[in-house]
């Protein structure tokens, strides 16, 4: 099992009068190569769960095993190493560096990993072609649409060859049609690149495109169901690579 959560509890202001329990006894298994959505309304605990899954935070109680290694009690440096080597992140706000090109943004994690220039460029080019951004490699972020920026961000999340891609509301800043195009990219990453994809979303329509939906409410898992079938690449109904205003995405 790739991810195993056992009895995960997350509290804030521990032993203070205003102590707050955000996650309550979370037990969750996620298999390698799966495409899972974690859904819930604001305040349900899904962002806190994402932070723990992404090794951005530690649980107050419980065990978290990633690829058979316990990470719940790791120190900051050890958690940083897990993030750098095993997890790729995609966020709603893209987080691209505005003054450098699309390909330079994708190369950046590789630079910090000490990868040589030629290898960085070759890998970044391949990833941008994967997300259908090969013709915009030299564009700056302000020359790209929202959907294009998110594609670059997805390519960057794959730069360190992660086991897991963790996407936090990746379509939240996009119109519905562009959001479905981005989902098509995640499906390709899951089906063709064989990556485990975890999607944090409040959008139940997008969640239905994944293999499995885990629903949180008030810090507890209230539902964990298979969707039966995974929508295949190209079947999101998104149509052409343009949004409703005719803007290329």
């Amino acid at each position: 099992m790739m991810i195993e959560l056992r009895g995960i509890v997350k509290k804030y202001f521990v032993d203070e009068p205003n102590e707050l329990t955000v996650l309550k006894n979370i037990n969750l298994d996620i298999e390698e190569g799966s495409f899972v959505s974690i859904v819930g309304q604001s305040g349900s605990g899904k962002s806190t769960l994402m932070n723990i899954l992404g090794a951005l935070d530690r649980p107050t109680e419980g065990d978290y095993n990633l690829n058979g290694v316990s990470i719940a009690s790791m120190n900051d440096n050890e958690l940083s190493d897990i993030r750098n080597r095993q997890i790729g992140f995609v966020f709603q706000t893209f987080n691209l560096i505005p003054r450098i090109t699309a390909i330079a943004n994708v190369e950046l994690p590789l630079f910090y990993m000490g990868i040589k220039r030629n290898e960085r460029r070759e890998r970044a080019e391949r990833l941008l072609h994967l997300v259908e951004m090969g013709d915009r490699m030299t564009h700056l972020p302000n020359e790209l649409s929202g959907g294009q920026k998110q594609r670059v961000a997805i390519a960057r999340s794959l730069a360190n060859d992660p086991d897991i891609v963790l996407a936090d509301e990746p379509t939240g800043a996009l119109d519905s049609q562009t959001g479905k195009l981005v989902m098509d990219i995640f499906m390709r990453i899951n089906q063709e690149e064989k990556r485990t994809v975890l999607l944090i979303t409040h959008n139940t329509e997008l969640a239905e495109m994944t293999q499995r939906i885990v629903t949180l409410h008030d810090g507890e898992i209230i539902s964990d169901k298979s969707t039966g079938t995974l929508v295949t690449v190209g079947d999101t109904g998104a149509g052409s690579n343009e949004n409703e205003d005719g803007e290329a995405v």
Side-chain angles (χ1 to χ4, degrees):
M1 193 65 62
M2 172 172 276
I3 290 173
E4 296 176 285
L5 301 182
R6 293 292 180 271
I8 294 295
V9 174
K10 182 61 181 179
K11 298 180 180 180
Y12 295 97
F13 313 113
V14 177
D15 295 329
E16 298 292 332
N18 58 339
E19 181 176 290
L20 178 65
T21 302
V22 179
L23 295 178
K24 309 167 185 175
N25 194 35
I26 298 294
N27 296 290
L28 181 65
D29 290 337
I30 296 175
E31 296 181 352
E32 182 178 3
S34 56
F35 191 178
V36 179
S37 54
I38 298 174
V39 303
Q41 297 300 316
S42 178
S44 64
K46 65 182 186 297
S47 293
T48 302
L49 180 58
M50 182 215 73
N51 288 339
I52 291 173
L53 288 168
L56 295 166
D57 199 1
R58 302 181 192 83
T60 308
E61 301 172 17
D63 296 318
Y64 174 16
N65 289 327
L66 177 60
N67 289 323
V69 177
S70 177
I71 70 170
S73 58
M74 286 184 175
N75 62 36
D76 289 345
N77 288 337
E78 291 169 328
L79 290 177
S80 178
D81 188 63
I82 290 289
R83 292 193 298 270
N84 290 338
R85 296 181 181 276
Q86 297 191 49
I87 303 171
F89 295 92
V90 182
F91 298 101
Q92 177 178 334
T93 52
F94 318 131
N95 293 342
L96 300 180
I97 297 175
R99 65 180 182 275
I100 62 176
T101 63
I103 193 166
N105 268 282
V106 178
E107 285 187 67
L108 196 59
L110 301 173
F111 173 81
Y112 287 118
M113 291 173 66
I115 304 299
K116 293 182 179 180
R117 181 176 181 179
N118 288 346
E119 185 179 347
R120 292 200 310 263
R121 181 54 55 104
E122 181 179 346
R123 192 183 302 184
E125 287 181 353
R126 185 187 74 81
L127 292 172
L128 285 168
H129 281 295
L130 174 68
V131 299
E132 301 177 6
M133 286 292 291
D135 59 341
R136 288 177 169 81
M137 291 185 186
T138 59
H139 286 59
L140 295 171
N142 65 6
E143 298 172 322
L144 303 175
S145 69
Q148 291 167 345
K149 290 176 185 176
Q150 194 59 292
R151 291 188 191 193
V152 174
I154 293 169
R156 182 187 57 193
S157 77
L158 296 172
N160 62 343
D161 196 25
D163 298 322
I164 300 167
V165 176
L166 185 55
D168 184 20
E169 298 284 4
T171 65
L174 308 175
D175 64 78
S176 59
Q177 185 178 15
T178 306
K180 289 177 181 178
L181 287 167
V182 168
M183 284 295 293
D184 192 81
I185 297 295
F186 283 118
M187 291 172 195
R188 183 172 294 117
I189 290 168
N190 175 249
Q191 296 172 25
E192 298 177 6
E193 295 288 307
K194 307 302 181 185
R195 312 284 181 176
T196 303
V197 179
L198 305 182
L199 175 71
I200 311 298
T201 184
H202 68 277
N203 188 320
T204 55
E205 182 181 357
L206 295 182
E208 290 289 345
M209 298 177 186
T210 68
Q211 294 170 324
R212 178 181 168 197
I213 302 174
V214 177
T215 304
L216 290 179
H217 180 73
D218 288 343
E220 298 179 285
I221 294 176
I222 61 169
S223 174
D224 185 348
K225 67 175 185 177
S226 169
T227 57
T229 57
L230 176 64
V231 177
T232 56
V233 173
D235 287 343
T236 59
S240 65
N241 292 351
E242 295 183 350
N243 64 22
E244 293 173 356
D245 297 322
E247 180 185 17
V249 297

